Amino acid sequence: MTKRISCTGIKPTGIVHLGNYLGSIKPSIELAKEYDARYFIADYHALNSIKNPKTLRENTYGITACWLACGLDPEKAIIYRQSSVPGTFEISTFLMAFTAKGLMNRAHAYKASVAKNLGNNKNPDDQVNMGLFTYPILMAADVIQFDSDVVPVGKDQTQHMEMMIDIAQSINSFYGKELFKIPKAVIHESMGVITGLDGRKMSKSYDNTIPLFLPPKKLRKLIMKIVTNSQSIEEPKDPDKCNVFALYKHFSSEDQIEKLRSKYLEGGMGWGHAKQELFEVVNDYLTPFRDNYDRIIQDKAYINEVLEKGSAKIRIIVEKKLEVLRKEVGLR
Ligand code: TRP
């Protein structure tokens, strides 16, 4: 039996943090054990906002190295560059003919830009490029071009997934046959609830992140900055209302969790101590990944080779899909 396909795109827009790791990288690597994983660097999506060539290039190397360092096996999973598969963009153009402009008007990211402009008394479309406006169409092409079954994504991608399904279904119903498989979003349980330094969701836009590959000293310094309440050392503390404990749970064993929980409840443990415990488990967990990363990021030729091998496989798959599609719709 052929394996079911898991597909996701990673936008190379910045430094990977613990929230990205727990919410996206880790569950996607888990899925890759069971599924035929096809994970790509969404560099054309990133180009909508990143116009500095050096930054875009470095982010692509950084994110690829990160996935490899965290355990994505390029012998089993396909990892590739979106921009290395021209067929994706042909499929995207095909989808455009079936996508209502009104649907795109309702996309959150576009609407947020318009609302911000109006709030600042600017033209509603100021700084809005067509890449942003049509973002959900390219994203749909990314996934349905090879009939993906599941798409591991964060909660923030729910609307994009709904639009993708909407577009694919309307094409299928127009032609009266399943030209595209309807994919399913897999929203990992813990996605969206990884808290940052200030207790809000960990996110670049809140400037509250803990980067994944900090050297130990810097990692410790950041962890010491996690916001806690002003309880004294003696007071018993509630582990379930604590940002430090919430993060601790993701990086430790049941046994460690229970031990720290009792220390909270007993009293006599200060916040500095709890943070030190958190630092130790996070650092132990990340050290092998950090070592891998430091090694892989030095070897751009290897990263390019992985991406190119993956892209070559996907180009063949997508070209086959296109041959069928072109015939079905009368382009051939
Ligand atoms: N929109 C996704 C994000 O911002 C990235 C992405 C692009 C993606 N294409 C995709 C995710 C296809 C899943 C499937 O994170």
Side-chain angles (χ1 to χ4, degrees), residues 255-313:
D255 210 40
Q256 288 172 311
I257 296 171
E258 277 324 300
K259 274 195 193 132
L260 188 63
R261 177 182 288 281
S262 338
K263 285 193 196 168
Y264 268 75
L265 298 173
E266 280 161 13
M269 180 198 68
W271 291 125
H273 185 89
K275 290 177 186 176
Q276 177 64 27
E277 299 248 349
L278 173 62
F279 163 69
E280 282 169 21
V281 291
V282 173
N283 191 49
D284 285 351
Y285 189 103
L286 293 182
T287 296
F289 294 163
R290 189 195 295 125
D291 292 348
N292 289 341
Y293 180 83
D294 291 343
R295 183 170 34 80
I296 296 169
I297 197 65
Q298 301 299 326
D299 194 351
K300 304 285 190 299
Y302 170 68
I303 300 175
N304 274 328
E305 187 191 308
V306 167
L307 290 173
E308 192 36 45
K309 270 192 188 160
S311 305
K313 288 183 196 156

Side-chain angles (χ1 to χ4, degrees), residues 1-5 34-36 149 181:
M1 215 182 87
T2 51
K3 271 191 182 170
R4 283 159 39 93
I5 297 170
E34 240 182 281
Y35 286 80
D36 170 356
D149 294 282
K181 185 178 256 180

